Amino acid sequence: MEFRLLGAVEVRDGGRAVALPRRQERLVLAVLLLRATEVVPVDELVDLLWPQDPPARARSALQVYVSRLRKAGVPIEGSRSGYAVRVEAESVDLGRFRAQTAHARALEDPVLRSAALTEALGLWRGEPLADVTSEPVRARLCAGIEEERTTALEDRIDADLAAGKYEQLVPELARLVAADPLRERLVIAWMTALYRAGRKQEALTAYAELAERLADQYGLDPAPALRRLHLAILRDDPLGPARSTADGTTPRELPVDVSLLVGRDELLADGVRVLTGEGREEAAVVCLWGAAGVGKSAAATRIGHLVAEAFPDGQLFARLQDVGGAAVPARTLLGRMLRAVGVPPPVVPDSLADRIRLFQERTADRALLVVLDDALDAETVEQLLPSGPRCAAVVTSRKSLPELKKAAHRQVLPLEEATGNDLLVRLIGRSLRDQAAIATVAAACAGLPLALRIVGSRLALSGDDALPAVAGALADDEARLDSMVAGDLAVRTSLHRSLSLAEPRTRQLLARLSLVGVAEFPVWVAAPLLDCDEPAGAAAFDQLVDLGLVELAGLEPFRRYKMHALVRSYAAEQLAQAGDSAGPMRRYLDAVHRLTALADSGVNHGWTSAAHLQTPPAPVLPEAEEAIEADAIRWFESSWGLVDAAARSALATGAPELAATIGLFLIGYLGVRELREARNDLLTTIRDVLAETGPLELLVRIELARHTYRVVPPAERRSEGERLRELAEQTGSLDLQARAELQIAMASVQLADYQRSREHGLAALALIERPDGPKHLHFFVLRDLMHVAAELKDYDASISWGEQAIGLAPPDSNVQAEARVVLGEIQAEIEQYDAAEAQLTKAVEIFGALSNDHGAAQTNSLRAAIAAKQGRLDEARALLTQPKALYAETASRYLWLRIGLAEADIAMAAGDYAEGRRIRLELIEEVVASGDKSVEQFIRDQLDNDPRDPANRR
């Protein structure tokens, strides 16, 4: 329900007016709502309803009114002591008014603050409660909230003054002062507006008429603040932030302090310490630098207010850029500053050198604080610094200014995620229902107070209803920056000012980084994007870091940077304006192609999906290639997402063959790291494009690579393999035909059709043994024949195939380790435990060298099962530690199966036969659902034939 008190008392439910025809009922409701959640005594309610002559049955009548309100849906609680209404503050227009005014006062920007206060004042529809009670009672109830309204109106006027709306304010203020000449804030605002609008004589006349009226009607003199303002106007003192005193002009130019400044306690304390330290021989200087929108100016202003008392000769404030971002000349700024410290305009010298000299003379023996906002260069700052040892300065800049040798330099960083979320909640001023969405929106603001304040102001005014639209805009690359505007606050404008400080090559790099398609990227990407060498690209990155447009994300195994979504959207806009993306994109994709090929050759996985591909000769990036040569696994670890995005970019730019090539070079690493979902998604995307564009041979190759690791029912796998074999025959490629035969063979194993599997395995072997056959597949055929022979209980042949396969595999490769696991499992099945342990131990060693945690975990699970069979229970349980930890992270089905088989063996060895049977039955149920009859039969054999189980001894 919605309750309205700021005018006639009304209740609405879902947009429908709730009828409360009796004045007394509306008065009871209004009183309870004014003191929502408080218990209002019965006697007090009776006194308000009947202030002069209450009826004999007043309490009974009150109960009737409350009962009717409850029937209307108003949640009123009653007790002997009184009544209370329990509603959310935002359901009452008075509560919304208070929340909106509190939020508005926290806004730093005066235009935004005025707009928010105007909207809050718009909730007032007239005199509150005028339709339910007499004027004396209404005044008694509403004096406080009407004062709130007046204060909000004065705050709005102050905001408009700060925004420079002097002429527009004059008529309104004239009416307000005429109605209430004792309201000091209104009178000061009126005179200030007149004076700033260039109407000095009218301001003086207004003061004179006001002084006469106060004396005649009230016998009063104007307040001291009014008299000081009158004197300042007479002397043509600059108003605004300045405040005049009787003993001369003491400038107080600091902007209004923001009410909410979070996450900066350490920075503020450090700034205060530097500026107020004793024993200095020269002025103290703090330089705050950081990204656009990170809150440098707010921090500098807060520091200025914290130390203001330490500088009794005043505080100067100067913005070193104009509204368009252009530098304000030091000569102009010094002219203003000299007048602020008491130099009459005719005495201010003309030349820059003379102004610098005079400013240093005037500040040599003073205790003056100077705040210089948005500095572009150190030289201008040096010209504006005070000279005296009791002086100090705070400087803000979007880039570091190391040339300021005497300054204490502090970088202002984006807020931590939790702090940013807290700031957004506090800016909104009330709790919204969808806290998860609030956290997502806060995260999208990248810790930038500017972005958080813009979003906070929108949500404070509109609440839950606007949350989906705000979240949607922040998730949309094209709409993101358009949503980041409130009044004259705009993230786009702030970013543009930062980029304007960069060199042309650096501006090009920022725009072209939007081509990379990921939020984090290595330093080498700059070289192909800019068509330069790696050092020059690194220098451009360094300048972007200095400007706060990208962040350094890490140094090992090479430098990496990251860019948040707001900057990424801005970069894409810059690229669209430049219109030169084709060349940089092609150079970048060529670089990804070569580096991925080099890295793939450096990962000893042994798979052959990319065996037919050549490493392109260019472009050569020596530093990146050196990092790959040192550790290809680590290179892939930090770059595979970028490579995946590059393949997709190649598809989007009409280069599907390049996309397929990059994808084939990537899938070896994805296989080692067991990143099945990422691999399958990329290959499926490439397949879908190649199905439309061809060529057929490449399509079949991608299909076969994709088919190998898809989780599908075995019957579907075999059918798909047969389809791919037909397509492979059309291409004439013996390599693709042999791969298709292997697909059919392995699907047949899963279907427990071992004879057919053996036939297809031998068919693949025949293709390989042809003079022009694909010899690189020999290992895979022998490995699969080893598996089939074991299923047929031909263990001698199985072990022979396995030993041959291991000999053919690249030494210490991932595929060799996998073959050792299969051979070790077969040897364990026939109780050749020592031989099995030797194979499995070597496999774990290889997997470890390749950082293949999944391979090591599955092998250790098998080792645990073998240890349990041999009665080494403590060792078996210890061997499961790593597999269980990895499963907790990945929930891998294959790992779950291996761990389950080992735990069943451990339970049986420990004599817990019921638990062992339970585990095996659970595994069988899962495997039956997958359609893998081979594994199902293997587990059933263990269940039915385990000699340790008493159930099998009958």
Side-chain angles (χ1 to χ4, degrees):
M1 299 185 93
E2 179 186 358
F3 304 95
R4 299 181 179 181
L5 301 179
L6 304 180
V9 177
E10 297 175 359
V11 180
R12 304 188 71 82
D13 190 359
R16 177 185 59 84
V18 177
L20 295 175
R22 294 173 178 81
R23 178 188 62 80
Q24 295 93 332
E25 293 169 13
R26 299 199 304 277
L27 178 57
V28 170
L29 175 60
V31 173
L32 295 178
L33 287 172
L34 285 172
R35 294 167 59 177
T37 73
E38 292 182 28
V39 175
V40 181
V42 170
D43 289 343
E44 185 175 340
L45 288 168
V46 169
D47 181 55
L48 290 168
L49 285 166
W50 300 281
Q52 296 181 343
D53 187 19
R57 298 183 58 81
R59 287 175 172 265
S60 297
L62 174 60
Q63 290 176 348
V64 171
Y65 300 152
V66 170
S67 177
R68 289 172 179 166
L69 289 171
R70 286 170 174 163
K71 288 180 180 179
V74 181
I76 299 176
E77 297 176 3
S79 65
R80 291 184 178 180
S81 56
Y83 296 96
V85 64
R86 308 294 185 184
V87 295
E88 295 293 333
E90 59 263 28
S91 68
V92 185
D93 58 359
L94 177 60
R96 293 197 300 277
F97 169 77
R98 287 168 172 166
Q100 289 183 23
T101 53
H103 162 74
R105 290 174 178 125
L107 297 176
E108 181 178 0
D109 177 72
V111 175
L112 189 60
R113 188 164 65 248
S114 172
L117 286 166
T118 299
E119 183 160 350
L121 288 163
L123 293 172
W124 287 73
R125 296 168 290 111
E127 289 187 347
L129 280 59
D131 64 327
V132 296
T133 189
S134 63
E135 180 56 29
V137 172
R138 193 197 72 79
R140 171 182 164 191
L141 290 171
C142 299
I145 62 173
E146 290 188 324
E147 177 62 23
E148 289 180 53
R149 179 188 189 182
T150 303
T151 301
L153 175 63
E154 291 172 337
D155 288 343
R156 194 227 81 208
I157 290 169
D158 284 348
D160 286 340
L161 282 173
K165 298 180 179 179
Y166 312 131
E167 194 68 55
Q168 301 96 309
L169 283 170
V170 169
E172 178 186 11
L173 285 167
R175 291 193 301 272
L176 292 171
V177 170
D180 190 358
L182 296 181
R183 195 80 185 183
E184 181 179 326
R185 281 186 69 185
L186 291 176
V187 177
I188 289 175
W190 182 38
M191 291 175 61
T192 302
L194 285 167
Y195 179 62
R196 288 180 179 172
R199 298 160 67 175
K200 174 182 176 179
Q201 191 55 52
E202 290 181 57
L204 295 173
T205 301
Y207 176 84
E209 291 176 352
L210 178 65
E212 183 179 355
R213 183 177 179 185
L214 287 172
D216 291 344
Q217 294 185 14
Y218 303 101
L220 298 174
D221 291 325
L226 274 169
R227 295 199 301 271
R228 288 195 298 269
L229 175 61
H230 178 239
L231 179 61
I233 293 173
L234 284 171
R235 296 188 309 195
D236 285 323
D237 284 348
L239 299 184
R243 183 171 68 240
S244 299
T245 59
D247 57 350
T249 300
T250 302
R252 308 290 186 191
E253 296 184 351
L254 291 177
V256 176
D257 193 8
V258 296
S259 60
L260 280 177
L261 188 66
V262 300
R264 304 300 188 203
D265 292 350
E266 185 176 343
L267 180 70
L268 298 176
D270 188 43
V272 171
R273 178 187 57 79
V274 172
L275 296 179
T276 58
E278 297 182 356
R280 300 195 305 264
E281 296 182 357
E282 56 189 357
V285 182
V286 172
C287 181
L288 306 179
W289 65 279
V294 82
K296 304 176 296 296
S297 298
T301 299
R302 173 64 59 84
I303 290 172
H305 283 283
L306 290 173
V307 302
E309 291 186 2
F311 300 94
D313 291 319
Q315 302 88 42
L316 301 181
F317 180 87
R319 287 190 173 89
L320 277 61
Q321 296 181 50
D322 63 20
V323 293
V328 180
R331 178 183 173 278
T332 300
L333 294 170
L334 281 167
R336 299 174 187 168
M337 294 163 72
L338 285 168
R339 289 192 294 274
V341 296
V343 178
V347 181
V348 175
D350 186 63
S351 72
L352 172 62
D354 288 340
R355 290 185 178 189
I356 293 173
R357 176 189 53 76
L358 182 57
F359 185 66
Q360 291 180 346
E361 288 177 359
R362 288 299 182 105
T363 58
D365 59 353
R366 296 194 184 194
L368 183 74
L369 176 68
V370 177
V371 179
L372 304 174
D373 191 36
D374 238 347
L376 294 168
D377 59 83
E379 180 181 6
T380 302
V381 172
E382 292 279 9
Q383 294 168 342
L384 302 175
L385 293 178
S387 61
R390 294 190 299 140
C391 293
V394 184
V395 182
T396 74
S397 178
R398 293 168 188 249
K399 61 180 180 179
S400 61
L401 299 175
E403 301 84 359
L404 286 177
K405 303 296 184 183
K406 300 174 183 178
H409 297 271
R410 302 292 184 266
Q411 184 178 8
V412 185
L413 297 171
L415 300 174
E416 296 289 339
E417 183 175 339
T419 307
N421 189 73
D422 176 61
L423 175 58
L424 181 58
V425 171
R426 293 170 66 182
L427 286 168
I428 294 170
R430 62 180 182 277
S431 176
L432 299 186
R433 291 188 296 272
D434 193 344
Q435 291 301 307
I438 287 291
T440 300
V441 168
C445 293
L448 298 179
L450 172 62
L452 290 163
R453 290 183 184 280
I454 291 172
V455 172
S457 67
R458 294 179 60 189
L459 293 176
L461 295 175
S462 50
D464 286 286
D465 292 342
L467 186 54
V470 171
L474 289 174
D476 185 336
D477 288 342
E478 296 183 359
R480 185 175 292 123
L481 290 179
D482 289 335
S483 72
M484 281 290 170
V485 179
D488 65 350
L489 295 179
V491 171
R492 182 186 283 110
T493 301
S494 186
L495 292 172
H496 188 69
R497 288 185 179 178
S498 293
L499 190 62
S500 67
L501 306 179
E503 297 174 357
R505 174 177 282 176
T506 303
R507 292 198 290 271
Q508 280 187 333
L509 176 59
L510 182 75
R512 294 174 183 178
L513 283 173
S514 62
L515 297 173
V516 177
V518 291
E520 186 170 315
F521 22 75
V523 64
W524 61 260
V525 303
L529 289 174
L530 295 173
D531 198 16
C532 66
D533 59 22
E534 288 168 286
F541 258 128
D542 288 341
Q543 190 174 35
L544 287 177
V545 171
D546 282 346
L547 292 172
L549 295 170
V550 302
E551 299 175 45
L552 185 64
L555 295 173
E556 295 295 336
F558 41 74
R559 278 194 288 173
R560 301 184 310 283
Y561 303 88
K562 61 183 178 180
M563 180 167 65
H564 61 70
L566 297 171
V567 176
R568 193 164 62 248
S569 293
Y570 178 71
E573 291 181 355
Q574 296 299 301
L575 183 70
Q577 292 174 16
D580 61 348
S581 61
M585 174 62 91
R586 185 65 204 197
R587 291 193 302 270
Y588 168 67
L589 292 178
D590 287 344
V592 173
H593 182 187
R594 174 175 166 81
L595 293 178
T596 308
L598 291 172
D600 181 61
S601 66
V603 177
N604 192 16
H605 51 71
W607 288 301
T608 59
S609 296
H612 65 295
L613 298 171
Q614 300 295 317
T615 299
V620 177
L621 300 173
E623 294 179 16
E625 293 175 19
E626 182 180 344
I628 290 172
E629 185 177 358
D631 195 333
I633 287 284
R634 290 188 68 193
W635 185 88
F636 265 127
E637 192 72 31
S638 59
S639 302
W640 76 263
L642 176 145
V643 177
D644 180 280
R648 297 173 191 274
S649 295
L651 289 176
T653 55
E657 294 186 41
L658 177 58
T661 299
I662 293 173
L664 290 171
F665 277 129
L666 176 61
I667 62 174
Y669 168 76
L670 297 179
V672 168
R673 298 296 287 151
E674 201 66 17
L675 295 167
R676 291 173 179 261
E677 184 176 347
R679 175 175 51 200
N680 292 341
D681 183 65
L682 175 61
L683 291 177
T684 299
T685 302
I686 296 171
R687 186 279 310 269
D688 291 344
V689 175
L690 288 175
E692 298 291 333
T693 63
L696 178 61
E697 181 172 340
L698 186 56
L699 170 63
V700 175
R701 190 173 298 281
I702 291 293
E703 287 264 41
L704 285 165
R706 168 178 172 270
H707 189 56
T708 301
Y709 292 101
R710 288 179 64 219
V711 180
V712 295
E716 181 182 335
R717 179 180 296 281
R718 184 158 70 180
S719 176
E720 183 69 6
E722 291 168 347
R723 181 185 72 83
L724 291 174
R725 182 181 59 182
E726 293 177 4
L727 293 175
E729 289 172 351
Q730 293 178 32
T731 70
S733 168
L734 298 181
D735 176 77
L736 296 181
Q737 293 176 55
R739 291 177 188 275
E741 294 287 0
L742 290 173
Q743 292 283 358
I744 300 169
M746 289 312 298
S748 297
V749 167
Q750 292 180 303
L751 291 167
D753 191 350
Y754 303 122
Q755 288 296 344
R756 185 172 176 187
S757 177
R758 188 173 184 275
E759 290 171 7
H760 286 286
L762 292 173
L765 184 60
L767 290 167
I768 290 167
E769 290 177 343
R770 288 173 54 168
D772 55 346
K775 300 298 187 291
H776 52 272
L777 294 178
H778 201 177
F779 158 82
F780 297 96
V781 175
L782 297 182
R783 182 195 64 182
D784 292 353
L785 287 171
M786 167 181 60
H787 196 159
V788 173
E791 296 291 356
L792 293 170
K793 309 303 181 186
D794 188 353
Y795 294 111
D796 289 341
S798 177
I799 291 173
S800 175
W801 290 123
E803 290 174 344
Q804 290 180 63
I806 290 170
L808 284 173
D812 297 334
S813 64
N814 197 85
V815 295
Q816 187 192 71
E818 290 178 339
R820 289 182 183 278
V821 172
V822 177
L823 180 57
E825 188 171 21
I826 293 167
Q827 290 168 330
E829 192 172 340
I830 58 177
E831 298 185 358
Q832 294 181 5
Y833 293 125
D834 290 343
E837 181 63 25
Q839 294 291 353
L840 298 177
T841 301
K842 179 62 177 176
V844 170
E845 178 185 324
I846 294 171
F847 286 137
L850 294 171
S851 301
N852 187 342
D853 296 335
H854 283 267
Q858 295 192 50
T859 308
N860 280 328
S861 299
L862 180 54
R863 292 175 66 201
I866 293 172
K869 286 182 172 68
Q870 295 179 291
R872 295 179 279 120
L873 295 181
D874 289 343
E875 181 182 345
R877 295 187 180 102
L879 283 166
L880 284 182
T881 301
Q882 182 256 346
K884 287 183 175 181
L886 185 61
Y887 176 73
E889 296 177 11
T890 64
S892 165
R893 171 182 174 271
Y894 303 97
L895 187 53
W896 172 80
L897 183 63
R898 283 290 188 188
I899 293 171
L901 289 170
E903 289 186 322
D905 270 312
I906 291 171
M908 286 296 183
D912 192 351
Y913 308 118
E915 176 65 7
R917 286 193 297 272
R918 184 197 66 76
I919 294 173
R920 285 172 174 165
L921 287 170
E922 183 179 340
L923 295 176
I924 289 171
E925 183 179 352
E926 171 68 19
V927 173
V928 167
S930 74
D932 195 328
K933 295 180 180 180
S934 175
V935 176
E936 176 193 346
Q937 188 58 54
F938 173 77
I939 303 173
R940 288 193 185 279
D941 287 345
Q942 287 191 331
L943 179 68
D944 298 337
N945 301 317
D946 193 328
R948 296 169 294 188
D949 189 347
N952 295 328
R953 298 174 192 166
R954 301 190 186 100

